[in-house]
Amino acid sequence: MEFSNELLEQAHYWMRLTRAFDDRLDLLFKQGKLVGGLFSQRGHEAISVGAALALGPDDVITPMHRDLGAYFARGMTPARLMSQYMGRATGPSGGRDANLHGCGDLSLGIVGFVSHIPQSTPVAVGMAHAFKLKREPRVALNFFGDGGSSEGLIHEALNWASLYQLPVVFIVENNQYAYSTPTKNQMRMPDIAARAAGYGMSGVVIDGNDFFAVHKTTKEAVERARGGDGPALLECKTMRMRGHAIHDNMSYVPKELLAEWEPRDPLLLFEKRLREMNLLDDVKQNELLTRIEREIDAAQAFAENAPMPDPSKLTEGIFAE
Ligand SMILES: Cc1ncc(C[n+]2csc(CCOP(=O)(O)OP(=O)(O)O)c2C)c(N)n1
Ligand SMILES: [Mg+2]
């Protein structure tokens, strides 16, 4: 598969934007300017951006809490996302929820998730089933974590998806930990992708820090799913480079493990490749970083000046009795 220069440029922008936005959120949280918790994206950029860029405009994603890059790549603006993190009326959840929880926009093909994991997996399967019944050439892309993969719902969803050969692709972001639980304490086998065989679908292990591998494998799986060949389970191996959320100092993660992953940072690997391909130099890199900082400044100013939600509108858009 060829990677066009345009695609690589886009991917670079989205991945750097994700990293810089994540760093800014860390600062803003410490200044008391955000509401709710904060889940760092560091280490997940190649997965969220690489996978999301494999889709067409009519496809849908059901992201999880470390997929900020997928939101950007689907076209959600920094101003709206910053509003969401600051609990403003201008965020996608209108201030009803915070960070990426409850953050979706169907016009961009993003279905926001509820906190319970992995509840959005059967939602993706349901959408894929609807696409198939309506004979629409659309694909659902679902993201879940290694922790989520041990929940019963995953079994039901993957089994159903394979039985009906639905146009859905599952990305499991194996970042070695679910909160403080290392994967070896929640499953016996080394690869979650191995479970795919039990459902009669293909399972692939990918280096989740390698944009090229994530994008290529996802794109192929998406096109197979779109063509009627059914779902796939893609396990992207990475490392959660921060605590579960900002309150967590991850004292339980061995320092050597983090040191081992540090040089495999997805941004560093990607930029090294771009330089080798003569697509990046210091001037271009500095221009990009400066432009992104300005964009994030503007998003922050927008959100800080945006109104808080109007309490009288609390029940609007809520489906409940
Ligand atoms: C059903 C359910 N149980 C527990 C939680 C609390 N919780 C939120 S994220 C999380 C860990 C998820 O780990 P993983 O799926 O590996 O994703 P990661 O945070 O590592 O990206 C837990 C236990 C939840 N949201 N839903
Ligand atoms: Mg995890």
Side-chain angles (χ1 to χ4, degrees):
M1 182 189 146
E2 287 296 313
F3 293 90
S4 71
N5 291 357
E6 194 194 347
L7 172 80
L8 295 176
E9 230 168 73
Q10 264 182 23
H12 190 206
Y13 170 67
W14 296 128
M15 282 164 63
R16 268 291 161 203
L17 177 63
T18 306
R19 174 66 57 89
F21 201 90
D22 195 56
D23 287 345
R24 180 70 62 92
L25 290 173
D26 187 89
L27 279 179
L28 293 172
F29 184 93
K30 288 168 183 163
Q31 292 170 7
K33 290 184 175 173
L34 304 189
V35 296
L38 183 62
F39 306 86
S40 176
Q41 315 289 311
R42 186 171 281 256
H44 286 253
E45 297 90 344
I47 303 173
S48 56
V49 173
L53 285 179
L55 296 179
D58 294 331
D59 297 332
V60 293
I61 60 166
T62 54
M64 61 164 221
H65 50 287
R66 299 194 204 279
D67 293 320
L68 178 63
Y71 282 82
F72 284 136
R74 292 295 299 178
M76 195 172 278
T77 63
R80 289 183 77 202
L81 280 160
M82 194 60 91
S83 300
Q84 171 80 3
Y85 280 90
M86 290 191 180
R88 306 295 156 136
T90 46
S93 75
R96 290 179 182 79
D97 215 332
N99 55 68
L100 296 180
H101 288 76
C103 184
D105 182 339
L106 290 181
S107 73
L108 299 173
I110 306 172
V111 180
F113 63 95
V114 293
S115 181
H116 286 79
I117 51 167
Q119 250 68 1
S120 58
T121 301
V123 173
V125 171
M127 285 190 294
H129 209 145
F131 297 157
K132 180 165 175 147
L133 291 175
K134 292 192 207 161
R135 295 195 163 82
E136 292 175 352
R138 300 166 72 189
V139 176
L141 183 64
N142 169 245
F143 297 84
F144 58 94
D146 46 282
S149 79
S150 292
E151 295 274 333
L153 212 46
I154 287 290
H155 168 70
E156 298 176 35
L158 269 63
N159 182 57
W160 187 272
S162 182
L163 179 64
Y164 290 97
Q165 290 288 281
L166 300 181
V168 54
V169 174
F170 304 100
I171 303 269
V172 52
E173 307 189 41
N174 184 351
N175 62 4
Q176 319 295 323
Y177 281 86
Y179 225 115
S180 54
T181 307
T183 41
K184 69 173 171 13
N185 286 9
Q186 56 146 320
M187 60 190 77
R188 182 69 63 186
M189 75 281 211
D191 297 328
I192 299 168
R195 292 186 196 164
Y199 301 112
M201 70 170 84
S202 88
V204 186
V205 176
I206 314 169
D207 176 353
N209 287 7
D210 178 353
F211 168 85
F212 293 85
V214 174
H215 182 71
K216 180 177 185 287
T217 315
T218 311
K219 183 123 188 126
E220 287 166 359
V222 163
E223 292 320 323
R224 275 199 308 273
R226 198 188 306 285
D229 289 342
L233 174 62
L234 314 181
E235 178 184 3
C236 298
K237 307 257 193 202
T238 186
M239 176 69 203
R240 195 191 71 200
M241 297 305 288
R242 294 284 184 265
H244 172 69
I246 198 165
H247 65 272
D248 169 17
N249 69 6
M250 60 172 179
S251 50
Y252 49 85
V253 176
K255 300 253 174 320
E256 308 75 57
L257 184 60
L258 288 166
E260 200 183 294
W261 282 87
E262 199 65 58
R264 292 166 63 188
D265 180 290
L267 266 309
L268 296 185
L269 294 184
F270 186 67
E271 286 164 357
K272 186 168 175 278
R273 286 279 290 276
L274 290 190
R275 283 176 192 268
E276 283 164 5
M277 295 165 83
N278 284 326
L279 293 175
L280 184 66
D281 57 25
D282 289 348
V283 176
K284 275 194 184 167
Q285 176 79 348
N286 289 337
E287 271 171 15
L288 180 71
L289 298 184
T290 308
R291 172 183 154 205
I292 285 174
E293 282 308 309
R294 274 203 217 105
E295 287 173 358
I296 298 175
D297 287 345
Q300 183 183 331
F302 174 88
E304 281 180 323
N305 291 316
M308 283 295 184
D310 175 353
S312 71
K313 298 199 170 139
L314 181 69
T315 54
E316 277 181 16
I318 304 282
F319 182 74
E321 298 230 322

